[in-house]
Amino acid sequence: MRILLLLGLLLQGAADEADVVIRGATIVDGTGKDGVVGDLAIKGDKIIAVGAWKGTAKTSIEGKGLIAAPGFIDLHNHSDTSIQAEATRDNYNFTSQGCTTIVTGNCGGGVIDVAPYFKQLDENGAGTNVIHLMPHGSIRNKVFGSQRRPPTDEELEKMKSLVEKGMKAGAWGLSTGLIYVPGNYAKTDEIVEMAKVSHAFGGIYASHIRNEAAHLFESLREAIEIGEKSGCPVQVSHLKCSTKEAWGNMGEACAIIEAARARGLKVTADQYPYTASSTGLAAYTVPASAMEGGKLIERLDDPEEGPKLRKYIQESFDRRDGPDKILIASYAKKKYFNGKSIADIARTESRDPVDVAVEILKGGGAQVVGFSMREDDVLVAMKKDWVATSSDGSAKHPTEERPHPRNYGTYPRKIGLYAVEKHAIALAFAIRSASGLPADILGLKDRGYLRDGYKADVVLFDPEKFRDQATFDVPDKYSVGARWVLVNGVAVIADGKRTSALPGRALRHN
Ligand SMILES: [Zn+2]
């Protein structure tokens, strides 16, 4: 009896020593409830107390005036390659935004072979944790290339078996990119069949829907149908009303999703807080059919097809309100194009903007930024309690590229600009949309909230100083104001300074 008592005292004594305690911060726990002043204690990679901590700590952090929040989870990220690269694996452009977990494999593109990907992440570490989705387009491409036709039964089985293999290795669902090649060539039923495999393992279905412009509504209905037929919860990626054809339609788009939710379906979305998007120039300016078999250049040169494509490019400029609304982010062949609009380049070189686009398409294409949205549509979606924050960015460091500022500023922009400064949304609501909500969407059971026993992914920031610095003119400036960022209990930002720690790991679904 006495031995048990002694053991009990010893255990209690051990529990009273934390590794890290944040004292007196305003704790915003990820539920959407307002913050409460208190302590947050961490031991190893876990949170061991939220509220009051009477014990000691190896490291004590003064939290007065600061907000402690769950580390942010970026549902829509494209770091499949860059999170593995030595130069960018610390993912500082995201940790400086308070992000502690990213989701790769989005828009139907990315890593297919999950086991070695995860193994590599675990061995080398990363600045953030990584969750992965099985990319439909990459899988289709691997099985039968960029052919514009349905798969044969055998090909479909092969594609499904690749999804299954990935799900068994710990992927969290299936993603599609239905504007891209070859995702665009898939009919709804093909995707349903693949999503059923995701559902069998409890995964989600995330989609860059088929059209975000004139056909936004039917594209949302297709995503919902795929969810309903496969059983998967549906995640509409980077929800937007793109181009003039869709401006003003966000209310109705949200009503379509809300009607599905009212029928009991799990349908959610994510969004980045900007009125510009970014992707390859081809996706903005030529139809997916022109890319079949990787023969875009031949078609641009073809005496019959070429003029038709040029007309299509001109029309795409008109829908986007002119070639001055398309900025070159990264064009390998002529880096001096980076940061300039197609209209700027055409003016400087006294050329037709269509010629400039054709030159770039023939020269291997470029990443571009397109000012194709309206602020009022962005705000309608931002206020919905089923819309999470996402970046659509990737692990980067400053180079000669001029990428979309979302890569560096998404989370502080939404919290700092839209919640703290503009009061468009409440601060706790903005934090939930970046933490608890994405965790719930994924089915993450031990992250996304500040709770006893949860993993210690935490951001501590000053709400008056936590801001994005990246603009469209100077897009690669790191965000400021994150004082501490802990990933699995280890600081990647300590007292405002970048550390060299790589505590991020692959997170496996089971
Ligand atoms: Zn996308």
Side-chain angles (χ1 to χ4, degrees), residues 82 194 295:
S82 54
M194 289 176 73
K295 295 213 170 78

Side-chain angles (χ1 to χ4, degrees), residues 40 101 114 170 407 441 460 510:
L40 186 75
T101 298
V114 179
N407 289 285
I441 288 169
L460 184 70
N510 55 37

Side-chain angles (χ1 to χ4, degrees), residues 184-202:
N184 179 263
Y185 304 155
K187 300 236 160 61
T188 307
D189 56 351
E190 169 188 327
I191 304 163
V192 169
E193 287 309 305
M194 289 176 73
K196 280 179 184 167
V197 181
S198 169
H199 175 61
F201 291 88

Side-chain angles (χ1 to χ4, degrees), residues 76 78 106-108 176-180 207-209 212 237-238 240 272 278-279 392 406:
H76 195 89
H78 289 286
N106 271 292
C107 294
T176 57
L178 301 182
I179 68 159
Y180 298 113
S207 183
H208 179 152
I209 58 176
E212 299 173 323
S237 300
H238 44 57
K240 65 172 78 78
Y272 46 85
S278 178
T279 189
D392 205 1
R406 66 193 184 189

Side-chain angles (χ1 to χ4, degrees), residues 289-357:
S289 57
M291 315 266 283
E292 190 186 1
K295 295 213 170 78
L296 177 63
I297 296 176
E298 285 91 326
R299 290 190 178 96
L300 285 165
D301 284 334
D302 184 83
E304 251 187 53
E305 297 254 323
K308 282 187 210 157
L309 283 173
R310 293 178 60 89
K311 186 164 171 272
Y312 193 95
I313 293 169
Q314 180 60 55
E315 287 163 1
S316 77
F317 288 163
D318 298 341
R319 281 195 297 275
R320 293 181 170 275
D321 213 20
D324 56 317
K325 300 294 196 302
I326 303 176
L327 291 185
I328 307 301
S330 171
Y331 178 49
K333 282 216 168 140
K334 290 185 179 172
K335 288 181 180 156
Y336 62 90
F337 279 8
N338 297 352
K340 298 193 176 76
S341 75
I342 289 183
D344 285 339
I345 298 165
R347 247 190 317 271
T348 312
E349 303 188 350
S350 302
R351 299 165 71 190
D352 181 344
V354 174
D355 287 333
V356 175

Side-chain angles (χ1 to χ4, degrees), residues 346-484:
R347 247 190 317 271
T348 312
E349 303 188 350
S350 302
R351 299 165 71 190
D352 181 344
V354 174
D355 287 333
V356 175
V358 169
E359 178 200 328
I360 294 170
L361 291 167
K362 284 188 180 177
Q367 182 77 13
V368 292
V369 170
F371 295 89
S372 60
M373 291 173 251
R374 262 182 20 184
E375 180 80 7
D376 54 351
D377 286 319
V378 171
L379 280 168
V380 169
M382 191 184 286
K383 292 175 184 175
K384 298 294 181 185
D385 65 4
W386 44 267
V387 174
T389 314
S390 71
S391 74
D392 205 1
S394 61
K396 281 186 190 299
H397 60 132
T399 64
E400 72 285 339
E401 283 181 29
R402 298 288 289 277
H404 193 301
R406 66 193 184 189
N407 289 285
Y408 289 82
T410 293
Y411 291 83
R413 179 176 169 84
K414 183 153 164 187
I415 289 168
L417 179 67
Y418 286 96
V420 176
E421 286 180 22
K422 289 189 173 181
H423 303 287
I425 46 175
L427 179 61
F429 181 91
I431 288 171
R432 172 185 171 268
S433 74
S435 55
L437 177 61
D440 292 350
I441 288 169
L442 289 161
L444 248 179
K445 298 277 184 267
D446 54 359
R447 297 175 202 266
Y449 296 93
L450 296 181
R451 280 179 188 150
D452 221 341
Y454 270 51
K455 295 288 184 186
D457 290 350
V458 180
V459 52
L460 184 70
F461 66 88
D462 180 342
E464 297 309 318
K465 293 183 182 152
F466 190 49
R467 294 291 184 277
D468 58 316
Q469 303 292 298
T471 63
F472 289 96
D473 290 329
V474 188
D476 51 10
K477 286 183 95 174
Y478 294 111
S479 289
V480 297
R483 192 74 68 83
W484 287 80

Side-chain angles (χ1 to χ4, degrees), residues 22-40 50-52 63 65-69 427-428 450:
I22 299 169
R23 295 196 187 273
T26 299
I27 296 173
V28 182
D29 66 3
T31 59
K33 280 189 237 141
D34 285 341
V36 178
V37 174
D39 307 328
L40 186 75
V50 183
L66 306 178
I67 286 175
L427 179 61
L450 296 181

